[in-house]
Amino acid sequence: MAPISHLSTKGLSKNFGGIQAIRNVDFDISKGQIRALIGPNGAGKSTFVGMISGRIPPTTGEIYFADQNITSLPAHKRICLGIAYTFQITSVFSKLTVHENVALAVRRNRQLKPNDVLEQVSSILDKVGLLDRANSEVRELSYGHQRLLEIAMGLGQEPSLFILDEPTQGLAESEVLEFITILKSMAGLTTILLIEHNMDVVMATAEFITVMNFGEILAEGTPDQIRLNEEVQLAYLGKT
């Protein structure tokens, strides 16, 4: 049986003035897949996921999510459909506790009993290794733990598509290893689109990789196929 398409783009393009940042991109991610999106700086990755999440309007092309055309939907309505997007820059409420931050995400668009919220928040914090810091104010956390909290807040929305934009940026080596474990535990539970420069993370977690360069898809394939692709080596990975 062929994989079920969860999100796809058809001829997606974005112009900023006279500059074409994204050019006619056809993209498809299967339901439950962990897909990595990689490429050099300026390749168009953040612009592309900005269009998927609804924060950047496309110039031309269409976006489909769960068989629905969402091209014209604003970001908050895409969140309601099940698309969660973590930013490159940590976006948390620093004066609230860790528990309160995740509880806000858990309650979004849902009516839950207090005990259900507490149970769900505790489960999520345990998954990302922050349960022992539940009552700490976010401003007391290290940068790495704030990044993990952002992932917890995304999980709190119970997304069917979870977009992680450079989640390991600024993390210590031990925190990166912790993130890899978390990501692997999510395999098959939700569809994940991972934008990441750390190739050790990409190769350890992604089932399939899309490589962008100059606003276009340069190559797609399994980690082994991408590692051996000469065009990708020249454009991004470098010769080994």
Side-chain angles (χ1 to χ4, degrees), residues 127-172:
K127 180 183 287 289
V128 302
L130 292 177
L131 185 57
D132 61 339
R133 294 174 172 81
N135 296 318
S136 300
E137 288 190 5
V138 172
R139 57 187 171 184
E140 298 172 359
L141 300 182
S142 68
Y143 178 79
H145 283 139
Q146 289 188 32
R147 297 308 303 268
L148 292 175
L149 173 59
E150 190 178 36
I151 292 170
M153 293 173 69
L155 290 174
Q157 298 175 40
E158 295 187 336
S160 59
L161 173 63
F162 198 2
I163 304 172
L164 298 164
D165 199 347
E166 297 191 26
T168 67
Q169 185 180 52
L171 298 190

Side-chain angles (χ1 to χ4, degrees), residues 12 32 48 51 98 120 166 188 199 234:
L12 202 65
F48 179 65
M51 288 190 286
V98 170
Q120 193 163 345
E166 297 191 26
M199 292 307 300
L234 290 171

Side-chain angles (χ1 to χ4, degrees), residues 128-129 145 148 173-183:
V128 302
H145 283 139
L148 292 175
E173 184 177 351
S174 61
E175 293 168 335
V176 171
L177 293 175
E178 187 176 358
F179 171 76
I180 290 174
T181 300
I182 293 168
L183 198 60

Side-chain angles (χ1 to χ4, degrees), residues 3-239:
I4 300 172
S5 177
H6 200 42
L7 178 132
S8 62
T9 70
K10 307 296 182 186
L12 202 65
S13 299
K14 179 62 183 179
N15 298 337
F16 294 103
I19 299 174
Q20 191 166 33
I22 300 293
R23 184 179 300 107
N24 198 36
V25 170
D26 292 338
F27 175 84
D28 188 277
I29 182 170
S30 301
K31 189 171 185 178
Q33 185 181 69
I34 298 179
R35 171 77 67 91
L37 179 64
I38 68 172
N41 289 329
K45 303 183 299 297
S46 291
T47 299
F48 179 65
V49 296
M51 288 190 286
I52 291 174
S53 64
R55 289 169 173 83
I56 299 175
T59 302
T60 58
E62 296 179 319
I63 305 167
Y64 294 87
F65 178 67
D67 295 325
Q68 179 178 343
N69 190 325
I70 63 169
T71 310
S72 60
L73 285 184
H76 70 276
K77 290 191 176 181
R78 299 188 197 196
I79 291 172
C80 294
L81 290 177
I83 298 177
Y85 176 31
T86 64
F87 295 89
Q88 289 174 302
I89 300 173
T90 304
S91 179
V92 293
F93 301 100
S94 62
K95 293 183 180 181
L96 298 181
T97 67
V98 170
H99 181 279
E100 288 168 339
N101 269 265
V102 180
L104 286 172
V106 167
R107 292 191 191 101
R108 177 177 291 189
N109 304 318
R110 280 174 286 167
Q111 297 295 324
L112 297 175
K113 295 179 180 179
N115 285 343
D116 293 333
V117 173
L118 178 61
E119 182 178 342
Q120 193 163 345
V121 170
S122 296
S123 175
I124 292 169
L125 290 179
D126 186 44
K127 180 183 287 289
V128 302
L130 292 177
L131 185 57
D132 61 339
R133 294 174 172 81
N135 296 318
S136 300
E137 288 190 5
V138 172
R139 57 187 171 184
E140 298 172 359
L141 300 182
S142 68
Y143 178 79
H145 283 139
Q146 289 188 32
R147 297 308 303 268
L148 292 175
L149 173 59
E150 190 178 36
I151 292 170
M153 293 173 69
L155 290 174
Q157 298 175 40
E158 295 187 336
S160 59
L161 173 63
F162 198 2
I163 304 172
L164 298 164
D165 199 347
E166 297 191 26
T168 67
Q169 185 180 52
L171 298 190
E173 184 177 351
S174 61
E175 293 168 335
V176 171
L177 293 175
E178 187 176 358
F179 171 76
I180 290 174
T181 300
I182 293 168
L183 198 60
K184 285 182 175 180
S185 74
M186 296 161 58
L189 300 177
T190 185
T191 307
I192 297 171
L193 179 57
L194 173 69
I195 299 89
E196 183 58 67
H197 282 293
N198 187 323
M199 292 307 300
D200 289 337
V201 173
V202 170
M203 294 300 178
T205 60
E207 303 166 62
F208 205 76
I209 299 171
T210 297
V211 186
M212 292 192 73
N213 197 30
F214 297 115
E216 298 179 312
I217 292 179
L218 175 65
E220 291 187 304
T222 65
D224 285 341
Q225 290 171 332
I226 294 301
R227 188 184 287 113
L228 297 174
N229 188 296
E230 291 188 0
E231 286 186 297
V232 176
Q233 290 177 359
L234 290 171
Y236 185 54
L237 297 182
K239 287 287 187 179

